[in-house]
Amino acid sequence: MIDCIDEGVRDSLPDFVHGKLSELDRATLTAHVEACDACSAEVALLRAVRSSASMAPAIDVARIVASLPVSLRIADVGALDHHSRPKRADAADAAGRRALWRIAAAVAVISLAGLSVVMGNRNESEPVAAAAGNSAPAVLQGTAGTQGGALGQQAVVEGAAGAEGRAVASAPGAARSTAPGIDQSNDVPAFAIVAGLENLSDEHLEQLLNEIDAIDGMPSPEPEGVALPLENLEGIE
Amino acid sequence: MIPGTQSSGGDTDQQLIERWRAGDSRAATQIVSRHADALARFAASSGEREEIEELVQDTFVRAFGSLDSFRGDSSLRTWLFTIERRLMLDRRRAEMRQRTMVPIESVDAATEYDALDGLLADETENSVRKAVESLSPKQREIFLLRVEQGLSYREIAAVVGSTEGAARVHYHNAMRAVKEFLDD
């Protein structure tokens, strides 16, 4: 059996037998094989080899598939992730809710304490004010908010002294009281502190401390309303 | 393109692999159906006589177990041939070690594959098969990968761990040897 001298064609003959050539190459090679005895014989040999090699036993595909390892199911992993994510989110949400509740509770306690101080002091001062014949409305002076909202930055103590009306104790930096009924031109108001604590005389300071000591810190069972004149807020920083 | 790399439904091997990775077990069935017969023929033509189906099964188990390492540089069939070839080499090494310990008669025992010889009614095919069997293992392997499986020289080189040029030389030497065998 002779060989074709065209090695390129001979190299392509297995692809020709397997039908792997393009239409153009296949047509060209078909014409060559029909004209070339050597290539025609080799093509017949190649087909015989393929035919003789088809003796392999039949394969049970189902048995093989059943033995294969389970794939890493991306969809299942995604589902697991999907299920686990809400757990993490729930935990974060629960922690957030707990923190918010703590903050709310703290604010409520502080507010209640502040309200107790104010109300307690008011209850203490009213009889004195009434005894002094002063009918000036109660004044609640506040600077919270712009000062960071800290309770206790300003202590408001309604006057409990003298015929001039009442005393107002203000923390440093608080706005000067413009409560109606207070005669600010008086040299020594009974208990009007219009500047810092450092400006208090020993007498006034002692009086203020006594007033603070007298505060019981408990709210009255039915606290009365507090009038808050708008004009007084204008001076509050 | 290697025969069977694309199904009639249009899914390539790579697409089937992606489907299997996504959990589609039917993709595994398609892959096995597409390549099992070729692997069985390759095993038979490589001289395997026993438990060819087990060999094919082991090939797929190995392949699917390490499918993440398949980068798609070669065709899936070429990769499967490479795995099967390694398994056959391991099997032959194990048999070589076993032969030193077992009686010789067990090696020559008749196999179920021998019974298939009778199915070769055509004398020409029988002669061709003998001609192929006369080749050296290396020549036979490369010759059958080229003729029977239709692999390119590049793919053959990947399977047997050689070069395209060496695969081509082995093929033409094998073809010449087969022709000489048949001419005698």
Side-chain angles (χ1 to χ4, degrees), chain B residues 135-154:
Chain B
L135 298 173
S136 70
K138 189 77 168 180
Q139 282 183 340
R140 183 170 64 241
E141 182 177 49
I142 292 175
F143 180 77
L144 290 177
L145 284 173
R146 179 77 179 125
V147 177
E148 189 181 296
Q149 307 294 346
L151 267 61
S152 67
Y153 294 127
R154 181 164 173 258

Side-chain angles (χ1 to χ4, degrees), chain B residues 40-160:
Chain B
R41 285 198 302 272
F42 179 51
S45 62
S46 299
E48 292 295 323
R49 293 292 180 270
E50 296 178 4
E51 299 177 338
I52 289 180
E53 184 170 343
E54 282 71 16
L55 179 66
V56 173
Q57 177 177 324
D58 289 347
T59 301
F60 278 114
V61 169
R62 290 273 186 98
F64 277 84
S66 58
L67 210 49
D68 288 337
S69 66
F70 176 65
R71 300 186 303 272
D73 295 338
S74 61
S75 70
L76 178 63
R77 179 167 294 185
T78 301
W79 190 57
L80 291 171
F81 281 149
T82 306
I83 295 172
E84 187 180 40
R85 184 174 180 273
R86 286 199 204 106
L87 290 174
M88 286 190 289
L89 292 175
D90 291 344
R91 209 185 244 199
R92 284 167 192 168
R93 288 193 193 99
E95 286 174 355
M96 290 287 285
R97 285 193 294 270
Q98 200 174 17
R99 275 179 191 159
T100 61
M101 296 181 288
V102 300
I104 188 87
E105 57 266 24
S106 64
V107 176
D108 295 333
T111 65
E112 55 181 323
Y113 194 77
D114 292 333
L116 295 174
D117 291 352
L119 298 176
L120 283 176
D122 191 280
E123 185 63 26
T124 303
E125 288 186 358
N126 196 15
S127 299
V128 168
R129 192 164 70 85
K130 288 181 179 176
V132 173
E133 287 176 350
S134 70
L135 298 173
S136 70
K138 189 77 168 180
Q139 282 183 340
R140 183 170 64 241
E141 182 177 49
I142 292 175
F143 180 77
L144 290 177
L145 284 173
R146 179 77 179 125
V147 177
E148 189 181 296
Q149 307 294 346
L151 267 61
S152 67
Y153 294 127
R154 181 164 173 258
E155 291 168 328
I156 293 170
V159 171
V160 303

Side-chain angles (χ1 to χ4, degrees), chain A residues 101-119 144 148-154 217 219:
Chain A
W101 275 112
R102 287 192 187 110
I103 294 171
V107 169
V109 168
I110 294 171
S111 300
L112 195 59
L115 189 62
S116 299
V117 170
V118 172
M119 291 299 108
L151 291 172
Q153 264 193 334
Q154 173 183 334

